[in-house]
Amino acid sequence: MLEEVERWLARRSWSVADRPRQQLAAAKRATGATVSVVLPALDEEETVGEIVAVIRRELMGGAGEPAEGGAQRPAPSGRPAPSVRTGPEGGPAAGAPSAPAPSRATATGSMASGSVPGAGAEEEADERVRLVDELVVIDSGSTDRTAEVAAAAGARVVHRDAILPRIPALPGKGEVLWRSLLVTSGDIVCFVDADLRQFSADFVAGIVGPLLTEPDVHLVKAMYDRPLGGQPGQGGRVTELMARPLLNLHWPRLAGFVQPLGGEYAARRSLLEQLPFPVGYGVELGLLVDALHTVGLDALAQVDVGVRRHRHQDGRALGRMAAAIYRTAQLRLARGRLGPPALVRPVLTQFERTEEGFEPRSYEVDTEERPPMTKIAEYARRRVA
Ligand SMILES: O=c1ccn([C@@H]2O[C@H](COP(=O)(O)OP(=O)(O)O[C@H]3O[C@H](CO)[C@@H](O)[C@H](O)[C@H]3O)[C@@H](O)[C@H]2O)c(=O)[nH]1
Ligand SMILES: O=C(O)[C@H](O)COP(=O)(O)O
């Protein structure tokens, strides 16, 4: 792992528990920033309603329901506490150095020093938590009841074809994220997948938080454990098999992202409006690489929001997703969007959830090649003999 990435992990990886919602609400008032949440949705009638309801209830002042009390909420059990540890490269957890991993206090040091005036914890007891100003579901061409369910739960629903009709919509998730910028107005735009199960409002509060409290942060991705078939850490197959190797080898500065493909991320509109959006599943990798080149690594961050459960696609569908991601990378490489000079010995950094957080473990990538056997003297001699 690059030293720059180790430093970034210590500075720019947090846990949702680091920024209580009341503190975020105060920061939001102090800065006057507005927040839009966008849910791209293609046939998500089973899950979209619950996600909309949770966001409205917990982050939009309850929409008629009792407001959250002024006391800071205790962290529910299972809430992530630590963020990312910068540990030894390639070593097991037991081999961790005695030097302390970046603690939560370290990670939030800039907040503690009051980077946003008025963002202290002493807020009025009856302050409602209004972190989200608008919630929009962009219907990506659903044939099920996604639009009705989302509207009934309280979202504004906009069909992709109703946005910018001058340019006919192309299929794909990136297309609707791009179009969403035209029908939302928040200074901060927060994307959340509509297929999440057991959704927690921490997903939104976690990634919007640093954008409200850290003026130098421009894009924040969620990180989480991703179970698959009941097994922790086994989800995110395209992430592990395609995106992470691509990023490590071509953009090693982005190797510290635990979930580079995750669909939950928030960014300043001022950044998003400058970036091209791949229309399909390449959009996350494309935005990450282009954001790196536009605002630099220190303007990017990640926040641990717990566990992500979602609808899993089958292997063939993931193969098509992987191809789109590879193509997105290829286009950026062709445009000269390269990271620092290739590492002499390329490494792959993976992450493992431990009690302390996500622990990076780096492995050398096989890179040596043997010459054709005809170049080997012993082989030539053997043929003569
Ligand atoms: O044409 C589409 C396809 C998907 N979606 C929505 O986009 C979200 C994510 O799509 P999904 O098929 O569930 O993606 P995953 O298989 O979960 O893929 C992961 O990896 C992708 C590639 O980076 C990301 O886009 C996803 O957010 C991320 O969850 C869901 O709300 C979908 O309804 C659309 O709106 N339009
Ligand atoms: O992000 C990914 O890698 C894909 O969404 C696949 O995720 P899954 O393996 O958890 O289905």
Side-chain angles (χ1 to χ4, degrees):
M1 198 196 305
L2 299 172
E3 276 179 28
E4 181 185 359
V5 175
E6 285 189 26
R7 285 196 302 275
W8 177 81
L9 282 172
R11 269 176 60 74
R12 293 297 192 214
S13 290
W14 291 292
S15 162
V16 62
D18 291 330
R19 293 177 175 83
R21 290 184 194 171
Q22 291 295 329
Q23 184 178 12
L24 295 182
K28 185 171 185 297
R29 281 196 307 278
T31 59
T34 52
V35 176
S36 303
V37 173
V38 169
L39 274 61
L42 176 63
D43 294 329
E44 305 291 8
E45 64 180 9
E46 281 181 30
T47 45
V48 72
E50 170 73 4
I51 299 169
V52 168
V54 169
I55 294 172
R56 279 185 63 83
R57 187 173 64 237
E58 295 192 35
L59 303 178
M60 299 181 79
E65 299 188 43
E68 204 168 79
Q72 292 177 357
R73 299 177 328 143
S77 59
R79 161 100 43 112
S83 48
V84 174
R85 292 187 60 192
T86 49
E89 306 241 334
S98 53
S103 69
R104 202 185 315 163
T106 305
T108 57
S110 55
M111 276 179 45
S113 65
S115 56
V116 172
E122 310 80 32
E123 293 304 320
E124 301 96 317
D126 63 348
E127 184 61 50
R128 282 175 180 265
V129 173
R130 287 183 188 274
L131 288 185
V132 174
D133 299 285
E134 66 175 348
L135 172 55
V136 183
V137 171
I138 312 286
D139 187 343
S140 182
S142 302
T143 54
D144 70 359
R145 297 181 62 254
T146 292
E148 291 125 278
V149 172
R156 177 155 67 96
V157 181
V158 186
H159 194 282
R160 64 178 178 188
D161 295 340
I163 310 170
L164 199 60
R166 180 174 69 77
I167 303 176
L170 293 168
K173 178 193 172 185
E175 176 79 3
V176 295
L177 297 187
W178 180 66
R179 284 171 190 267
S180 77
L181 297 182
L182 268 163
V183 293
T184 55
S185 59
D187 305 311
I188 294 167
V189 182
C190 172
F191 298 128
V192 176
D193 282 358
D195 67 324
L196 302 186
R197 302 179 194 284
Q198 300 173 46
F199 177 75
S200 160
D202 279 347
F203 276 54
V204 173
I207 55 179
V208 165
L211 295 165
L212 292 171
T213 60
E214 309 295 326
D216 296 335
V217 170
H218 290 255
L219 183 146
V220 184
K221 292 218 62 141
M223 58 177 156
Y224 22 60
D225 186 24
R226 300 185 63 169
L228 179 68
Q231 297 293 315
Q234 294 305 303
R237 291 163 286 172
V238 179
T239 301
E240 302 305 332
L241 297 176
M242 174 60 72
R244 202 181 301 288
L246 268 178
L247 291 173
N248 274 259
L249 295 185
H250 293 299
W251 294 280
R253 276 192 221 139
L254 295 173
F257 276 96
V258 173
Q259 293 297 337
L261 294 192
E264 295 70 41
Y265 46 104
R268 298 192 193 282
R269 178 177 294 272
S270 55
L271 170 64
L272 292 174
E273 67 193 10
Q274 296 182 58
L275 303 180
F277 278 57
V279 298
Y281 285 121
V283 65
E284 278 74 32
L285 185 119
L287 289 177
L288 208 51
V289 168
D290 293 339
L292 174 71
H293 286 274
T294 307
V295 290
L297 182 59
D298 201 51
L300 313 181
Q302 59 186 351
V303 175
D304 189 347
V305 297
V307 180
R308 180 185 198 258
R309 298 181 181 82
H310 73 126
R311 172 184 35 75
H312 298 281
Q313 303 200 52
D314 68 27
R316 292 174 67 85
L318 294 185
R320 296 190 289 276
M321 178 188 290
I325 290 167
Y326 186 80
R327 178 67 181 150
T328 302
Q330 213 178 32
L331 288 172
R332 277 148 186 79
L333 292 170
R335 289 174 197 158
R337 297 230 129 169
L338 290 163
L343 299 170
V344 181
R345 295 203 66 84
V347 291
L348 177 72
T349 301
Q350 301 173 321
F351 291 88
E352 196 165 311
R353 169 79 89 184
T354 66
E355 285 188 0
E356 288 80 27
F358 288 100
E359 176 132 4
R361 298 190 182 177
S362 297
Y363 303 87
E364 285 190 1
V365 177
D366 291 342
T367 194
E368 301 294 339
E369 290 197 18
R370 296 298 190 193
M373 193 52 89
T374 54
K375 306 278 187 215
I376 301 296
E378 289 84 344
Y379 186 74
R381 280 201 296 276
R382 196 193 72 163
R383 291 184 69 187
V384 170

